[in-house]
Amino acid sequence: MSSWMNLLLRIGDNSQEYSTSSDFKDHIEICFGALRRELEHSENDVLDFLLQCAEQLPHKIPLYGTVIGLTNLENEDFVRKVVETTQTNLQDALDSGNCNRIRILMRFLTVLMCSKVLQPSSLVVVFETLLSSAATTVDEEKGNPSWQACADFYITCILSCLPWGGAELMEQVPEEIERVMVGIEAYLSIRRHASDSGLSFFEDDDETKNGLGEKDFLEDLWSRVQDLSNNGWKLDSVPRPHLSFEAQLVSGKSHEFGPISCPEQTHSPSALSGINYGRQKHEAELKYPQRIRRLNIFPASKFEDLLPIDRFVMEEYLLDVLFFFNGCRKECASFMVGLPVPFRYEYLMAETIFSQLLMLPQPPFRPIYYTLVIIDLCKALPGAFPSVVAGAVRALFEKIADIDMECRTRLILWFSHHLSNFEFIWPWTEWAYVLDLPKWAPQRVFVQEVLEREVRLSYWDKVKQSIENAPGLEELLPPRGGPNFRFSVDGDTERTEQHALSADLSNMVKARAAAREIISWIEESVFPLHGLEVTLKVVTQTFLDIGSKSFTHLITVLERYGQVITKICPDQDKQVMLIAEVGYYWKNNAQVAAIAIDRMMGYRLISNLAIVRWVFSPENIEQFHTSDHPWEVLRNAVSKTYNRISDLRKEISSLKKGIVSAEEAAAKAKAELELAESKLTLVDGEPVLGENPVRLNRLKSRAEKAKEEEISVRESLEAKEALLARALDENEALFLSLYKNFSNVLMERLPDASIAGTLRELKSIQVDSMAVDLEESSMMEVDNENERQQKSQPNGGRTSNGYNIGEKEQWCLSTLGYVKAFSRQYASEIWPHIEKLDAEVLRENAHPLFRKAVYCGLRYAQA
């Protein structure tokens, strides 16, 4: 990489390119000098790379803006191209809905204004364009309020620019910026309060937070900007290097910014139904997602030296680095610990990363990315960050009973993976008390699931050794992960006729018998004499035992003898029996059981509907609140169904593009052939219609092949569209079956709606019954003390030595949590079927808490 590129990349860093100087002014002067020389012969390269740096290292934008301001003093044409290119890029980003690019480019424009490159009035025009679009969108008559997420995003972009340029705007164009602020205040008065319902980290927040006048993200940002304005626009988190060069920059020419336009939202009829409004709202929130939902882990005292607006700016920095360095974990960690601020921010960094890891409905990137970043930050700041992470884990563990089920699962997966990178070291003695809690207590289940996941990442003895300081926790370890073969011949096991059949089948497989030979053997020698149940057990158990040596062995058996399983298990009832046999064989290893079931579904040996029926079998229902195993199998099945549809849609999109290309190629070949046939040529001195016969034949062959290619692509498209239609029908059947099962099991266990109409009431049932028992035994003082403890504890009545929610109530809470999680995760696939789901499942005989959980997950207004 050229030296000028290195200087641009490393500006502001404590790096060798700048002789370890940390003075921003020195960096800017050195970088400007290098660019000035390079512009003489590589102007286009400098332009492209400079804008790329500004977009992908946005925490350095004030430095890049000052460099451009200095360049403007000597090369106005180059800087004019910078402004014009930025205008083009911003318009493209608005048209495509590229949220991150819109936000960053607006910050870049604000900094260019501070460096006297851009006229302040031009920036105000950009603000007013976005403000006008936002106000129109939320207007009931002229706009489409279901797309408020887009309007809110535009206003957020305007407000987020002000920490970087509010002081300059107020100084140079006070009336214009005041007009923008009044417009924003008017917008806030007509928009709907944005509820976090369904997306809160904590279950109780869905019932309490949004009903108590809590500010949503935009209202909170507006409050922070107002505080900043009242404080004279002073903040510590935004560097202002242009002030060191102000005397020079004022003599530069300020350029105008070309007009931009916001894409119009589809106008909605005033009588938009609730379901159509919900669909469009869901689509808008997918395209314009809220960037962060704050997860308050640590006490406010950890941030008391931080102004509200500084917290917002720091979050912007951290989220930008996470976004632009998602493929470079070490660079990400390096930039995160070296942000241009004069205060420490380890606690804020941890909260921000955890807020992204646990963000609902999905984190911006795969959870493994955040795991790796946290690991690298612990290594980069060994004296500070590990203790902060440990503090976060302890704080979240204390609140685990109230954390959303999806967040709880992600936290388990992250924590087990994190410990596996640090020798599984953790002060388990702190959590040994969970053994005194009932088996359904969330803290106990959390420890149990973390240990189970650790065993998956290591081996049983290693994990057992890691908890030797709290040996009692061995009780929560999973069983040693060996198979549980029904027809094992080890030890003193009595050998039956079924053992002999299993041995015969095993010998046939070892002899590489064909699938049809085994089918014939079953039809002639096994099924007629022993019936379906024995046949299925013998075949399934034997195949699983042969495939138990490794994942490759399992795949080989399923590929080679899948026809045998299909022959025995052609319908749902038999497939449920098949899954039960897989569960029995691998009952000591939940991971392999889940993998085997997933692979069988992949080979279409079992259907997703059969998996749903198995998950809701009595044996599994009893585990809903104490084990993740049935939920893992169900998640895999629904995800695989979703992935099939997603893959088919991608293939269809590609084929449609292929048809366009094939049509163009066929039309071109046909046109060339017709042109050649229309020409007159001389053959033996006589005029003949058509070109040289050899070339003509070649053109005919090419035209025929192009036409055949077009027909082939069309046939492929038709086939894929048929598969997609079938997959969508299967998807509808899957969700109807899933929610009917959820509704049925919850109706059996949930108390009457008059007793438990909210989660808080459901949690209080066991606590209230305990209070009655105490009163009946005339222990009034104890009862009053217990009541005082409940009121003083925001965690629903848990005490240090017990868990006051009964098993039945906890089962209901956990299952409702999973209902909401599934509804939220697959909302895009559920919305097309919501009318049918509403009519067949949610309206008739559905418990209000179940209905609320579904609607809450879908963020449907009726929730």
Side-chain angles (χ1 to χ4, degrees):
M1 185 179 290
S2 302
S3 59
W4 65 271
M5 289 183 171
N6 272 323
L7 288 170
L8 265 178
L9 274 177
R10 296 301 174 187
I11 192 170
D13 298 342
N14 190 7
S15 62
Q16 61 183 10
E17 283 81 2
Y18 291 95
S19 303
T20 68
S21 169
S22 58
D23 185 354
F24 284 171
K25 185 175 181 181
D26 291 344
H27 286 212
I28 289 168
E29 289 174 341
I30 293 169
C31 187
F32 166 60
L35 287 191
R36 180 170 53 186
R37 292 188 295 272
E38 193 64 28
L39 280 172
E40 296 175 2
H41 47 82
S42 302
E43 184 176 285
N44 290 335
D45 291 342
V46 173
L47 175 63
D48 293 342
F49 194 72
L50 179 57
L51 291 178
Q52 190 178 355
C53 286
E55 285 191 37
Q56 298 187 21
L57 296 171
H59 61 282
K60 298 184 180 185
I61 279 180
L63 304 177
Y64 294 130
T66 307
V67 170
I68 294 170
L70 293 173
T71 306
N72 189 42
L73 301 175
E74 301 182 4
N75 195 334
E76 290 181 2
D77 288 341
F78 172 77
V79 174
R80 178 175 47 79
K81 290 179 183 177
V82 169
V83 173
E84 290 173 352
T85 305
T86 303
Q87 188 267 340
T88 302
N89 291 344
L90 179 57
Q91 187 61 63
D92 290 345
L94 286 166
D95 293 339
S96 63
N98 187 334
C99 294
N100 276 295
R101 201 174 195 200
I102 295 169
R103 183 179 47 78
I104 295 301
L105 288 175
M106 287 191 63
R107 187 192 305 175
F108 183 53
L109 290 177
T110 305
V111 169
L112 291 182
M113 180 274 303
C114 294
S115 297
K116 313 300 180 185
V117 170
L118 190 69
Q119 291 183 3
S121 57
S122 291
L123 182 61
V124 171
V125 170
V126 174
F127 288 171
E128 290 180 330
T129 301
L130 268 64
L131 177 57
S132 173
S133 175
T136 302
T137 297
V138 297
D139 188 285
E140 295 281 352
E141 296 179 0
K142 301 178 182 177
N144 187 350
S146 63
W147 277 78
Q148 181 178 305
C150 174
D152 280 358
F153 168 71
Y154 287 165
I155 303 301
T156 300
C157 286
I158 297 170
L159 291 175
S160 65
C161 289
L162 297 180
W164 279 266
E168 283 74 11
L169 287 168
M170 194 57 70
E171 178 186 336
Q172 298 175 43
V173 284
E175 294 181 1
E176 286 90 336
I177 194 60
E178 186 60 34
R179 188 171 65 237
V180 171
M181 300 293 273
V182 170
I184 292 174
E185 194 165 15
Y187 169 82
L188 290 170
S189 69
I190 61 173
R191 70 185 278 273
R192 295 187 183 186
H193 174 85
S195 167
D196 274 349
S197 177
L199 301 178
S200 300
F201 298 109
F202 300 100
E203 294 284 3
D204 285 349
D205 286 354
D206 284 334
E207 293 185 346
T208 59
K209 180 178 176 182
N210 294 295
L212 297 176
E214 290 278 340
K215 295 175 182 176
D216 63 26
F217 180 80
L218 184 56
E219 293 163 351
D220 176 75
L221 177 56
W222 171 246
S223 173
R224 291 170 192 257
V225 170
Q226 284 185 310
D227 289 345
L228 175 63
S229 174
N230 294 335
N231 194 37
W233 301 97
K234 296 175 183 176
L235 70 168
D236 296 327
S237 52
V238 176
R240 304 171 67 77
H242 63 278
L243 296 179
S244 300
F245 300 91
E246 193 167 23
Q248 299 162 253
L249 293 175
V250 291
S251 60
K253 177 185 176 181
S254 294
H255 301 264
E256 291 187 358
F257 193 74
I260 60 165
S261 61
C262 299
E264 293 184 9
Q265 305 301 337
T266 305
H267 179 65
S268 66
S270 56
L272 194 66
S273 71
I275 286 179
N276 286 329
Y277 181 93
R279 277 201 192 100
Q280 291 193 30
K281 178 172 176 283
H282 173 71
E283 183 183 345
E285 289 178 346
L286 284 179
K287 189 169 183 179
Y288 298 95
Q290 186 173 308
R291 199 168 183 223
I292 187 173
R293 298 184 192 280
R294 292 189 179 95
L295 174 59
N296 297 314
I297 301 174
F298 302 106
S301 59
K302 299 294 184 184
F303 310 100
E304 58 187 10
D305 296 331
L306 205 60
L307 292 175
I309 194 65
D310 281 323
R311 173 167 185 140
F312 168 76
V313 171
M314 285 302 303
E315 289 168 345
E316 288 285 283
Y317 287 155
L318 293 165
L319 295 177
D320 288 340
V321 173
L322 283 168
F323 178 79
F324 287 108
F325 289 92
N326 67 82
C328 314
R329 45 179 275 207
K330 293 193 179 297
E331 283 284 300
C332 176
S334 174
F335 277 112
M336 287 186 86
V337 301
L339 293 175
V341 292
F343 47 77
R344 297 185 63 171
Y345 51 90
E346 291 91 348
Y347 288 97
L348 179 55
M349 186 157 59
E351 279 197 353
T352 304
I353 296 172
F354 277 107
S355 75
Q356 297 293 285
L357 171 66
L358 303 179
M359 193 172 190
L360 298 170
Q362 298 285 351
F365 302 101
R366 291 186 177 184
I368 183 65
Y369 170 52
Y370 303 102
T371 305
L372 297 174
V373 169
I374 291 172
I375 290 169
D376 286 332
L377 287 172
C378 286
K379 294 176 180 177
L381 299 170
F385 204 65
S387 60
V388 173
V389 172
V393 172
R394 291 185 177 96
L396 291 171
F397 181 72
E398 287 300 314
K399 303 174 184 177
I400 202 70
D402 298 322
I403 291 180
D404 179 272
M405 294 305 297
E406 168 69 16
C407 294
R408 204 181 301 183
T409 301
R410 279 192 225 160
L411 195 61
I412 289 166
L413 296 175
W414 163 76
F415 188 48
S416 55
H417 191 178
H418 180 78
L419 291 182
S420 73
N421 283 271
F422 294 95
E423 299 293 325
F424 298 101
I425 296 172
W426 181 255
W428 290 107
T429 50
E430 293 181 9
W431 292 351
Y433 69 87
V434 300
L435 292 168
D436 300 326
L437 301 177
K439 67 177 183 178
W440 60 86
Q443 288 187 334
R444 179 181 173 124
V445 174
F446 178 84
V447 173
Q448 172 186 301
E449 291 296 323
V450 167
L451 293 174
E452 197 271 337
R453 292 287 174 169
E454 284 187 353
V455 171
R456 295 189 187 193
L457 295 167
S458 182
Y459 52 95
W460 196 90
D461 290 317
K462 173 69 174 176
V463 177
K464 179 178 179 293
Q465 181 184 354
S466 72
I467 59 173
E468 60 186 7
N469 290 333
L473 291 178
E474 186 179 338
E475 177 185 333
L476 301 183
L477 282 174
R480 288 180 178 268
N484 185 42
F485 187 31
R486 287 185 188 274
F487 309 115
S488 173
V489 294
D490 296 336
D492 300 328
T493 307
E494 180 184 352
R495 299 194 181 189
T496 65
E497 192 173 351
Q498 294 176 21
H499 284 75
L501 290 172
S502 176
D504 290 344
L505 178 56
S506 181
N507 290 331
M508 293 176 73
V509 172
K510 290 175 181 176
R512 295 184 175 272
R516 63 178 178 275
E517 294 179 42
I518 294 178
I519 291 173
S520 298
W521 173 73
I522 291 170
E523 291 176 339
E524 295 170 6
S525 307
V526 184
F527 187 78
L529 300 175
H530 302 279
L532 171 66
E533 187 173 348
V534 171
T535 302
L536 192 147
K537 284 182 179 179
V538 168
V539 172
T540 306
Q541 290 277 322
T542 306
F543 281 165
L544 287 172
D545 197 55
I546 293 169
S548 66
K549 295 179 179 63
S550 70
F551 182 67
T552 305
H553 281 76
L554 174 65
I555 296 301
T556 302
V557 169
L558 294 179
E559 287 181 348
R560 189 172 294 168
Y561 298 110
Q563 296 174 32
V564 179
I565 297 174
T566 302
K567 187 73 175 178
I568 300 172
C569 306
D571 56 48
Q572 268 189 50
D573 291 337
K574 298 178 182 64
Q575 289 172 11
V576 172
M577 295 170 64
L578 170 63
I579 300 169
E581 284 303 308
V582 176
Y584 180 88
Y585 184 87
W586 285 114
K587 72 176 185 178
N588 295 328
N589 195 321
Q591 179 183 19
V592 181
I595 290 172
I597 294 169
D598 182 69
R599 288 292 84 207
M600 286 181 171
M601 181 181 166
Y603 288 118
R604 293 193 175 273
L605 305 179
I606 53 179
S607 69
N608 48 21
L609 293 176
I611 292 174
V612 170
R613 280 184 54 185
W614 175 79
V615 167
F616 285 90
S617 62
E619 181 183 352
N620 286 319
I621 289 173
E622 296 306 315
Q623 301 180 56
F624 277 8
H625 58 317
T626 58
S627 172
D628 187 55
H629 177 50
W631 301 115
E632 180 183 13
V633 173
L634 184 58
R635 281 194 299 269
N636 289 345
V638 179
S639 293
K640 190 171 284 292
T641 305
Y642 168 77
N643 290 338
R644 281 176 184 166
I645 293 172
S646 181
D647 290 344
L648 283 168
R649 284 175 177 154
K650 289 176 184 175
E651 290 172 10
I652 287 172
S653 176
S654 177
L655 285 170
K656 284 180 177 178
K657 293 177 183 176
I659 284 179
V660 173
S661 300
E663 285 176 343
E664 291 175 353
K668 182 179 179 182
K670 183 180 179 182
E672 289 179 351
L673 176 61
E674 290 174 349
L675 179 63
E677 289 176 338
S678 66
K679 288 184 177 179
L680 289 173
T681 56
L682 293 175
V683 178
D684 297 331
E686 296 292 327
V688 177
L689 193 64
E691 281 194 2
N692 183 301
V694 175
R695 184 171 185 271
L696 208 57
N697 288 335
R698 189 168 66 249
L699 289 173
K700 284 180 181 178
S701 175
R702 186 187 301 168
E704 290 170 359
K705 286 182 179 178
K707 191 63 180 176
E708 288 172 2
E709 178 67 22
E710 181 187 346
I711 293 171
S712 174
V713 175
R714 286 188 183 279
E715 289 175 349
S716 297
L717 178 61
E718 290 175 5
K720 293 294 182 184
E721 286 178 334
L723 286 173
L724 178 61
R726 175 185 164 190
L728 289 172
D729 289 341
E730 290 178 355
N731 200 42
E732 180 181 301
L734 170 66
F735 282 114
L736 283 172
S737 172
L738 177 60
Y739 283 101
K740 282 177 181 176
N741 277 286
F742 268 131
S743 181
N744 292 338
V745 297
L746 282 163
M747 279 299 291
E748 293 172 5
R749 290 164 175 77
L750 278 169
D752 188 82
S754 61
I755 300 173
T758 66
L759 294 181
R760 190 173 291 278
E761 290 172 353
L762 180 60
K763 289 179 180 180
S764 68
I765 289 175
Q766 182 74 5
V767 178
D768 289 346
S769 66
M770 290 174 61
V772 170
D773 292 341
L774 290 169
E775 186 175 346
E776 289 176 352
S777 61
S778 301
M779 298 175 64
M780 295 301 294
E781 292 184 9
V782 176
D783 183 47
N784 291 335
E785 178 63 24
N786 185 47
E787 186 176 348
R788 284 195 297 273
Q789 286 182 5
Q790 290 171 32
K791 289 181 178 178
S792 67
Q793 294 177 21
N795 56 7
R798 289 185 302 282
T799 62
S800 60
N801 59 354
Y803 184 67
N804 291 344
I805 293 178
E807 181 169 13
K808 183 179 177 182
E809 289 73 28
Q810 184 60 52
W811 185 97
C812 293
L813 289 168
S814 297
T815 306
L816 286 169
Y818 281 113
V819 168
K820 183 166 73 170
F822 275 98
S823 304
R824 180 174 52 221
Q825 186 172 359
Y826 301 103
S828 295
E829 298 305 314
I830 294 172
W831 270 111
H833 313 298
I834 189 65
E835 287 95 346
K836 194 167 185 178
L837 190 64
D838 225 22
E840 296 187 17
V841 182
L842 299 176
R843 288 298 174 193
E844 296 182 8
N845 302 321
H847 194 285
L849 279 177
F850 167 65
R851 188 185 306 121
K852 182 174 182 179
V854 177
Y855 288 157
C856 197
L858 295 175
R859 289 178 54 70
Y860 186 18
Q862 294 197 20

